[in-house]
Amino acid sequence: NLSNFGQNIRGRAILVLVDGVPQSTSRNVSRDFINIDPAMVERVEVVRGATSVYGNGATGGVINIITRRGEAGRLTFGTDVATEASLSRVGGAGLGPRVAQRVSGAHGPVDFLASAAASRTGALFDAEGDRVPPDPTGQGGFAETNNVDVFGKAGYAFGARRTQRLELSANHFVSTQATNFASDFSINSLPAYQQKASVLPGLELENQQGTVNTMLNAEYVHGGLFGSRVLAQAYVRDYETTFRPFDDRRYRTVTDTAADGTTSTRRQYTNGYVMQTYVESRKHGGRLQAETQFLARLGASVLWGADYTDETTAQPVHLYDSVAFVQSSGRVFEQTGGAKFVPPLDLETLGLFAQLSVRPLGRVMLRGGARHERASVQVDDFTALNGVSITGGTLRFRPVLWNAGVVLTLTDAINAFGNYSEGFSLADIGLVIRQPSAGFTLGDRQANPQQVDQYEAGVRASWSRMQASAAVFRNTSELGTSVGANLQVVRAPERVRGVELTLDVQPLERLRTGGTYAWSEGDFWTRVGTDSVWAPLNSFRIQPPKLTAYLEHRTLPRWSNRLQALHSGVRDRAYEAFLARPGVNPAAPAFGERRVEAYTVVDFLSTVGVGRGTLSVGVRNLLNTQYFPIVSQLMPVGNVSYSAAPGATLSVGYSIAY
């Protein structure tokens, strides 16, 4: 699906950037990766664990997506064409064509790149040949979407020895679903999680789900300003994303008694809405930093500066006729009006930071720093759809965040490290106030920010034919942020710990193999009966153990083959804790507390040089395994969100540069 909800690093939230521009919104909708076409991406950088490098939102880590830039030399063109097709159900509906064209070059001090990509993702079919719902878990889906991305970047190097560079970039990305199928809600009457999700034809919906993301970014670098390397950045981002409609009507259980005395129960809807939410966000900001070298004999340097963001985000809704919705079995949506689901949230942040690095000994490196954040959120007076009124105001937060670490070079091939760091994340205030309880005030504890303290230690090794790493971590927070039943926010102390391992081996010149392993577990402080205990965090927060492996062989100088596997393990700790509570219904666990079953997926990719270009042939889910992704196993809305993953899918593409 489109959402990265339930996908995190070390049990905590991630901050996604594109060229340093935050992709998050203050009303967090977890659609941070579907904002740019892969053809525009040069590389991806990952910082694991709590960090304050980019301020708010990185309690679990940072993922920075770096876009391409112009290539040196003469004018160069590149063309990519590709298509995908389901192998579990062959036919035109599953075809997904794609084309991308780029041109780049450099002349003297100027370089540039312009690129455009267009694609259509076809219908998705599971391993049994059945159509996967276009909205598989209620958070948006890839199936039957049309995508267009236009990207441009230009750079100008100047000054003595060209130590200065000005770079401007722009990206406009549009993704829109165009489908005739709706999820079949009638299967929710069957026992939960025993019937996979299915679809009904005949969807009538004018405002189908989609995303529009426009970014403008400017960077200036001076390589030697008063002995410092200076970076200045300014950006503007305009973002809108639309969800599929959902049934938010309230109901009560009614018992009917027949003439023969037998009883039956049914749902009687009382009030509420059939509605569709969408998020509108406008953000601008900038960053100014300098890296200054001093005390050369100690290899000392300090990175210092400030960053700033100003964002306004709102979440309105379209309201639909509930009679037409019911009579059409959830396929016809006749708009009757609109309303505010979440009012405009005005978020302003200013961060001041400094980071010191020093080598007091040849084999010892010390790092440490601090960040002072000044954040404010302004909310106007607001009456929620449930009738509760909230008096607006401004919330202000002033945290100071610290970090310190050491790296010991044990041998030329091995080093060990230890680190302490703090991350800061504002609460999703929009989620808190859209369905507030009676008596809620803006200064309620639920609206307070979260600070995460992380401790980690590990070792890294790099030999000529083998590279390996091992890390252990623990992070804690006094005021955690979990989502519970009915999307209520749970604020309580939390603790998470885990292990991460990597291994890469090159036993032969043309052969590479390796893999990764990750395990984590976590708890929060809560009351069970009359006791306060540490209870397991749900499986949206803590993923099952994960093992990956790959085998890559360069069969010929221009022909390479790769086989890779992912094994997602079992996690039932939250489910067992749920069963241990008195008086629970074993068939109805709370949000994210179901048992997560294991699955294994194998992929294959082959690339071969053909003419002046490269032909690639790949098969995802090579063994056509029928499995249910973690989110599908956990979503609490019954069978309608119990969607199987796509079965075997063939992709064929050709890329040429000229």
Side-chain angles (χ1 to χ4, degrees):
N1 62 56
L2 298 182
S3 173
N4 50 281
F5 179 78
Q7 301 176 44
N8 52 51
I9 297 178
R10 296 183 175 180
R12 306 284 183 173
I14 54 175
L15 174 63
V16 179
L17 311 169
V18 174
D19 290 334
V21 179
Q23 301 300 293
S24 59
T25 54
S26 57
R27 169 68 275 273
N28 183 15
V29 291
S30 300
R31 289 187 171 185
D32 301 329
F33 291 109
I34 185 69
N35 292 326
I36 190 170
D37 191 274
M40 316 304 167
V41 178
E42 177 185 281
R43 68 184 189 278
V44 179
E45 300 174 346
V46 181
V47 176
R48 303 183 65 84
T51 176
S52 60
V53 170
Y54 285 95
N56 169 48
T59 53
V62 174
I63 297 177
N64 192 14
I65 300 169
I66 309 298
T67 59
R68 296 173 179 262
R69 64 161 52 180
E71 301 176 8
R74 61 185 179 84
L75 199 64
T76 302
F77 297 87
T79 303
D80 303 331
V81 293
T83 190
E84 291 190 347
S86 170
L87 296 179
S88 60
R89 182 172 173 180
V90 178
L95 291 177
R98 169 184 175 78
V99 61
Q101 178 66 47
R102 63 185 176 275
V103 56
S104 69
H107 181 72
V110 177
D111 61 79
F112 76 95
L113 180 142
S115 181
S119 65
R120 162 79 177 173
T121 303
L124 304 180
F125 298 92
D126 65 22
E128 296 174 348
D130 295 322
R131 186 184 291 260
V132 177
D135 187 21
T137 60
Q139 297 297 308
F142 284 121
E144 299 178 271
T145 56
N146 299 317
N147 309 294
V148 176
D149 196 340
V150 179
F151 174 79
K153 181 182 288 187
Y156 174 60
F158 59 98
R161 300 181 181 179
R162 294 185 179 175
T163 56
Q164 301 179 64
R165 176 178 172 84
L166 177 64
E167 185 176 271
L168 305 176
S169 65
N171 189 79
H172 181 64
F173 174 78
V174 180
S175 176
T176 306
Q177 191 167 67
T179 181
N180 185 44
F181 289 88
S183 296
D184 183 1
F185 283 84
S186 68
I187 62 174
N188 274 352
S189 61
L190 302 173
Y193 297 90
Q194 296 182 28
Q195 170 65 47
K196 69 182 180 184
S198 57
V199 299
L200 293 173
L203 173 68
E204 295 182 19
L205 174 63
E206 181 179 354
N207 303 304
Q208 296 214 15
Q209 67 147 6
T211 294
V212 179
N213 190 47
T214 303
M215 294 185 297
L216 302 176
N217 188 32
E219 291 187 7
Y220 168 74
V221 176
H222 195 305
L225 182 63
F226 302 115
S228 299
R229 185 180 187 274
V230 176
L231 166 68
Q233 178 186 24
Y235 60 82
V236 177
R237 179 177 182 239
D238 194 330
Y239 175 76
E240 181 175 325
T241 190
T242 303
F243 288 83
R244 294 289 292 272
F246 64 97
D247 185 358
D248 195 46
R249 292 173 298 157
R250 305 293 186 267
Y251 65 90
R252 62 181 179 178
T253 301
V254 177
T255 302
D256 297 318
T257 303
D260 60 1
T262 60
T263 61
S264 61
T265 60
R266 59 184 172 85
R267 286 182 171 184
Q268 183 182 78
Y269 287 93
T270 56
N271 53 46
Y273 305 90
V274 175
M275 62 185 188
Q276 177 185 33
T277 74
Y278 56 102
V279 170
E280 299 172 324
S281 176
R282 311 288 183 269
K283 178 185 292 189
H284 65 269
R287 185 178 181 92
L288 177 63
Q289 68 180 42
E291 185 174 9
T292 306
Q293 309 287 334
F294 64 101
L295 297 179
R297 62 185 181 86
L298 295 179
S301 66
V302 61
L303 179 71
W304 54 282
D307 53 38
Y308 171 81
T309 64
D310 187 355
E311 174 193 345
T312 300
T313 296
Q315 188 174 18
V317 296
H318 300 304
L319 301 178
Y320 294 98
D321 188 319
S322 61
V323 175
F325 173 80
V326 172
Q327 291 179 346
S328 65
S329 299
R331 286 175 285 185
V332 175
F333 295 90
E334 297 179 357
Q335 188 170 340
T336 60
K340 290 181 180 179
F341 194 39
V342 176
L345 305 175
D346 295 322
L347 169 64
E348 190 172 14
T349 68
L350 173 65
L352 308 174
F353 56 87
Q355 183 76 11
L356 175 67
S357 177
V358 62
R359 284 186 178 272
L361 300 173
R363 292 184 175 270
V364 179
M365 174 179 285
L366 302 176
R367 289 194 177 104
R371 178 186 179 93
H372 174 51
E373 189 90 5
R374 303 178 66 86
S376 64
V377 182
Q378 181 178 328
V379 184
D380 293 335
D381 294 349
F382 171 63
T383 299
L385 290 181
N386 64 4
V388 176
S389 296
I390 297 174
T391 302
T394 301
L395 300 175
R396 292 182 172 85
F397 310 105
R398 302 289 186 267
V400 177
L401 308 161
W402 302 87
N403 73 86
V406 58
V407 179
L408 305 176
T409 303
L410 304 178
T411 71
D412 291 342
I414 303 174
N415 64 60
F417 61 89
N419 187 61
Y420 169 77
S421 60
E422 297 176 351
F424 165 78
S425 183
L426 292 171
D428 188 345
I429 296 173
L431 183 62
V432 173
I433 67 175
R434 71 184 190 184
Q435 292 181 328
S437 55
F440 177 86
T441 62
L442 194 60
D444 189 275
R445 182 170 181 265
Q446 285 188 308
N448 287 341
Q450 175 192 106
Q451 179 176 313
V452 174
D453 302 335
Q454 176 183 263
Y455 308 83
E456 66 175 326
V459 60
R460 294 181 291 249
S462 180
W463 294 282
S464 60
R465 289 188 176 271
M466 184 170 70
Q467 302 81 43
S469 70
V472 296
F473 68 87
R474 174 185 172 87
N475 61 58
T476 61
S477 59
E478 288 300 313
L479 195 61
T481 303
S482 287
V483 178
N486 299 319
L487 293 181
Q488 294 301 306
V489 179
V490 179
R491 308 305 305 273
E494 294 176 350
R495 60 187 187 188
V496 180
R497 67 270 186 196
V499 176
E500 299 164 349
L501 307 173
T502 71
L503 177 67
D504 296 277
V505 183
Q506 303 84 44
L508 301 172
E509 182 179 351
R510 295 187 175 185
L511 183 67
R512 295 167 49 88
T513 186
T516 66
Y517 175 75
W519 171 89
S520 63
E521 194 50 79
D523 309 273
F524 71 104
W525 189 248
T526 187
R527 292 190 66 83
V528 177
T530 59
D531 299 324
S532 294
V533 299
W534 285 105
L537 286 167
N538 67 48
S539 293
F540 283 120
R541 286 287 306 279
I542 304 297
Q543 281 81 41
K546 185 176 73 172
L547 177 68
T548 71
Y550 73 91
L551 181 67
E552 193 172 281
H553 186 253
R554 187 160 56 88
T555 310
L556 294 173
R558 298 186 67 194
W559 181 25
S560 295
N561 295 282
R562 178 184 174 97
L563 192 68
Q564 62 187 32
L566 161 69
H567 175 74
S568 178
V570 173
R571 185 174 191 260
D572 55 11
R573 186 165 173 259
Y575 182 60
E576 290 175 350
F578 163 77
L579 292 178
R581 299 172 197 156
V584 300
N585 178 2
F591 189 83
E593 292 187 343
R594 289 190 171 275
R595 172 184 167 90
V596 179
E597 303 290 348
Y599 55 84
T600 302
V601 187
V602 178
D603 306 316
F604 174 73
L605 175 65
S606 181
T607 59
V608 59
V610 176
R612 297 177 60 184
T614 301
L615 174 69
S616 62
V617 179
V619 181
R620 296 197 303 274
N621 195 358
L622 178 67
L623 304 180
N624 198 38
T625 301
Q626 179 78 339
Y627 71 98
F628 294 83
I630 296 171
V631 173
S632 294
Q633 297 185 47
L634 292 173
M635 274 294 177
V637 289
N639 294 323
V640 73
S641 63
Y642 190 49
S643 296
T649 304
L650 172 70
S651 62
V652 179
Y654 186 71
S655 177
I656 185 171
Y658 50 95

